[in-house]
Amino acid sequence: MAKVGTQDNPIKLVPDVSQRLLLAEATGIGVDDEGPVTVISKMKEPVHGYDLYLKNLMRNPRLNCMDLRLGFLLFDLFENDYTEATFLLVEKSSYRMSKVGEDGLLYLHDKRQVSTGVEFLEKQSLLEIARKSNIGTDQAGLIATLNRLHSYFYITCTEISGVNTASEKKHFDYQTNEVLLSNETEVVHIRLNDRFTKYDFTRKWRKPSKSEQSCLLT
């Protein structure tokens, strides 16, 4: 299999317009033909909007404790630590960065998400960062939580593997298909959804059913 994230085999990042099933279920946003990005763009920005990303996290009654803790951690990393967007979901000692990218860079197909078309590859493990932040988890737990945060549109995740190369995703319909991380994901590109820093969703979250509430407590 050809090496991914190179000039000849770039990664196609999952676009913001991709389907977000949990967001649609929880708010009704994105259930029509317009899609979540178009609907959100029509919302009015609040006159006084402070710490909206964190408020939008805290006031979503459908998030569990792990969702909240990892959501806060990612926000802190991107807003305060100037971290690169690509993370390992395994321990650093178990992965060779030479398996992806070229000359320390990850090459991307679409410049709409990253204007330069490349991003620096830093060997950083989200698993190890989470554990240092007293978030007890493993690779499977990280993948499950990242998929939930992605489906609620707090973040957008792209698995760095052959399934997300430009050639593999040619003509793929993102607007009607949700693209989640596979259970084997080792490297992921993550970006925050900055719309959650501009718009107030706190009154849009629907309360979960009793059965859903019980699941959140387990």
Side-chain angles (χ1 to χ4, degrees):
M1 182 180 292
K3 189 176 178 182
V4 303
T6 63
Q7 282 185 292
D8 294 331
N9 195 25
I11 288 291
K12 185 175 178 61
L13 295 180
V14 176
D16 287 351
V17 297
S18 64
Q19 179 66 263
R20 312 288 172 147
L21 294 179
L22 290 181
L23 177 71
E25 179 184 311
T27 65
I29 294 174
V31 297
D32 54 26
D33 292 337
E34 288 189 303
V37 171
T38 302
V39 174
I40 293 171
S41 67
K42 294 179 180 179
M43 293 171 57
K44 291 183 178 180
E45 294 187 31
V47 177
H48 303 290
Y50 302 102
D51 298 323
L52 281 178
Y53 195 95
L54 299 181
K55 289 177 181 176
N56 286 326
L57 267 175
M58 285 297 297
R59 297 188 185 180
N60 182 348
R62 294 167 176 257
L63 297 182
N64 61 37
C65 181
M66 182 62 178
D67 298 333
L68 291 170
R69 297 186 72 185
L70 189 60
F72 269 99
L73 176 62
L74 289 171
F75 178 81
D76 184 55
L77 288 174
F78 282 114
E79 291 296 305
N80 300 315
D81 285 356
Y82 307 100
T83 188
E84 299 297 338
T86 304
F87 294 88
L88 299 178
L89 300 186
V90 295
E91 294 181 354
K92 288 190 289 186
S93 60
S94 65
Y95 191 87
R96 290 183 293 107
M97 293 302 292
S98 58
K99 291 170 65 175
V100 297
E102 187 175 346
D103 298 326
L105 298 173
L106 181 71
Y107 284 84
L108 307 171
H109 173 68
D110 194 338
K111 293 185 178 182
R112 283 177 292 183
Q113 304 298 339
V114 179
S115 60
T116 60
V118 296
E119 288 209 343
F120 289 103
L121 282 170
E122 181 180 338
K123 194 170 188 179
Q124 53 184 4
S125 168
L126 186 58
L127 178 64
E128 294 178 1
I129 294 171
R131 288 174 175 172
K132 287 180 181 178
S133 301
N134 296 317
I135 300 176
T137 188
D138 55 17
Q139 181 185 6
L142 273 182
I143 291 171
T145 305
L146 288 172
N147 278 337
R148 282 176 54 79
L149 293 172
H150 171 97
S151 194
Y152 278 116
F153 206 6
Y154 289 104
I155 58 176
T156 296
C157 295
T158 303
E159 179 178 344
I160 307 303
S161 72
V163 299
N164 285 314
T165 58
S167 58
E168 186 69 23
K169 281 293 189 281
K170 190 176 183 179
H171 305 309
F172 183 81
D173 186 0
Y174 286 97
Q175 291 186 319
T176 58
N177 293 279
E178 185 169 54
V179 183
L180 300 177
L181 304 176
S182 73
N183 293 335
E184 291 77 38
T185 303
E186 294 182 298
V187 188
V188 60
H189 181 282
I190 303 173
R191 63 180 185 274
L192 292 182
N193 175 13
D194 62 1
R195 295 167 185 82
F196 275 61
T197 67
K198 299 176 181 177
Y199 302 105
D200 189 348
F201 290 80
T202 58
R203 296 180 182 274
K204 293 187 176 295
W205 303 117
R206 297 168 180 169
K207 292 182 179 180
S209 64
K210 289 185 178 180
S211 61
E212 290 171 328
Q213 286 179 325
S214 63
C215 290
L216 292 175
L217 296 174
T218 58

